Amino acid sequence: MELPELFLQKMQGLLGEEYQDYLDSFGQERVYGLRVNTSKISCEEFEKICPFPIRPVPWIQNGYYYEGSAKPAKHPYYFAGLYYLQEPSAMTPADRLPVNPGDRVLDLCAAPGGKSTELGVKLGGKGVLVSNDISNSRAKALLKNLELFGISNMYILSEAPHRLAPHFRDYFDKILIDAPCSGEGMFRKEPAVIKSWLEKGNDFYAKLQREILDSAVQMLRPGGLLLYSTCTFSPMEDEGSVDYVLKKYPELKVREVEPYEGFCPGMPEQVEGGDDLLSRCVRIFPHRMRGEGHFLALLEKEGEKERPLTSSAAGVGGLKELPEEFRDFAKLLAWKPAPERLMLRGEKLYLLPAEGADLSGLRVMRSGLLLGECKKKRFEPSQALAMHLDSDSYENCISFSAEDSRVIKYLKGETIEADKAASGWVLVCVDSFPLGFAKASGTVLKNKYLAGWRWQ
């Protein structure tokens, strides 16, 4: 791989004696990682059933390395939402942002959803997750991944950050910004990124990052935490952008990130007049850890610690009773949705988060959990609902083992035969983990797996 001479000069100045070790890392084998969805399965249980060799990522509690030949995206457990494929260093921002059930959380540059899925799991179905990406096409992938993970208390938006700020002023307890960047930390993994680096340079991204930070600070409540991350080594985009926001907003302070022995401290000396507390930031280098390059900074907005009530925490408003078409289906659920949290838009029925939000005038791709469609005298459950359920929360389940050929046939959209007769809507599972719905007539299961998700 031919690296740009200007980039090499900058890295030599940044790393000094470690520069050669960094260059040598390009000759090492790329690492692959997955992160377990602990809302569906514990790490201990996943280790027992995982069909390919894995090793723990030492600084991520639910992260694992796997071999590139394993092809985990082709296993039924992937389609059951048991794990997300993610480069190990990229797991770090969502892991190190302390999110608690009940928090209001914003993932501002969220697509394709690797970090949002972990934030949603941390919330445990309480509070609210607002996942936003300015790109509408990328936000569609974000929505799919959050649905695959079974997240329900979410709003998916596709807006420029400055358009969100007036709606969510001082609203969020936690904000994650995995900012657009020049991608220097990905050169080893994705050499194609070099072309963009040559075309745009660091200045382009630093300006964009600071605009995003300006909007995010307005949306962070006093006492809240903001985690800023990039996958670049550029001091201008890393410590430089953090120093910019510290100087502009004196109410922000840098907090320590939960340590790991491979982390390198931030480099305030790389920024003219840089605050010494920038050393609390974290740099990840591939010659020090088994992962690609990354940068993290955890910021706290000083002020009143107790969460204020805000106008954007509007009541969700809803229905007075369950729709007639939904009532019979609801009898099969172990939990009953509160009518006041339901929204019927056309034929589509949604379960909204208990925590409301002012979304008027914004591009909203999803509000809460799509339960299904209320058609004439019948209800058709959604793929999203299937992924939100577990085998104990729905009465009519049929489970196949991962080795059963019918699982792949189902994922391909084919009609399959069950071992015993059933009727109505059945939840098709693999080893008791839901995959989707089918309509049963005797032993015949008419496939209702979402066409856009099918096995290719």
Side-chain angles (χ1 to χ4, degrees), residues 153-323:
N153 54 326
M154 62 181 183
Y155 294 103
I156 310 297
L157 309 181
S158 181
E159 282 289 358
H162 74 270
R163 293 256 304 137
L164 299 180
H167 293 258
F168 294 104
R169 197 168 299 278
D170 295 334
Y171 180 76
F172 291 103
D173 302 298
K174 310 289 165 60
I175 297 178
L176 191 147
I177 304 173
D178 188 40
C181 70
S182 58
E184 294 172 358
M186 295 291 109
F187 284 3
R188 190 177 75 145
K189 176 188 171 188
E190 299 176 22
V193 177
I194 296 173
K195 182 181 178 183
S196 176
W197 184 89
L198 290 168
E199 290 174 351
K200 295 180 178 177
N202 305 123
D203 290 356
F204 171 86
Y205 290 103
K207 180 177 183 295
L208 183 58
Q209 291 155 2
R210 295 168 196 197
E211 291 172 355
I212 292 170
L213 281 163
D214 281 331
S215 297
V217 173
Q218 297 175 53
M219 293 186 277
L220 186 66
R221 74 164 177 86
L225 295 174
L226 185 157
L227 194 140
Y228 171 80
S229 68
T230 75
C231 58
T232 191
F233 300 124
S234 164
M236 179 187 293
E237 301 176 58
D238 293 343
E239 291 90 352
S241 286
V242 176
D243 193 59
Y244 159 83
V245 82
L246 291 177
K247 286 183 167 61
K248 186 169 182 179
Y249 304 97
E251 66 270 30
L252 292 181
K253 303 297 178 188
V254 187
R255 279 189 39 169
E256 297 277 1
V257 175
E258 181 188 336
Y260 170 68
E261 60 184 359
F263 290 167
C264 292
M267 300 178 173
E269 70 277 5
Q270 295 290 331
V271 179
E272 186 176 351
D275 191 315
D276 288 343
L277 290 181
L278 291 172
S279 61
R280 291 181 174 178
C281 301
V282 165
R283 281 178 167 271
I284 296 176
F285 289 107
H287 64 281
R288 289 232 185 170
M289 299 168 63
R290 295 193 72 239
E292 305 304 326
H294 232 80
F295 172 86
L296 297 84
L298 184 60
L299 306 174
E300 182 174 12
K301 190 176 190 179
E302 295 186 329
E304 184 61 46
K305 301 291 183 183
E306 194 164 332
R307 176 199 289 176
L309 293 174
T310 68
S311 59
S312 54
V316 293
L319 307 180
K320 293 182 179 179
E321 59 183 5
L322 296 182

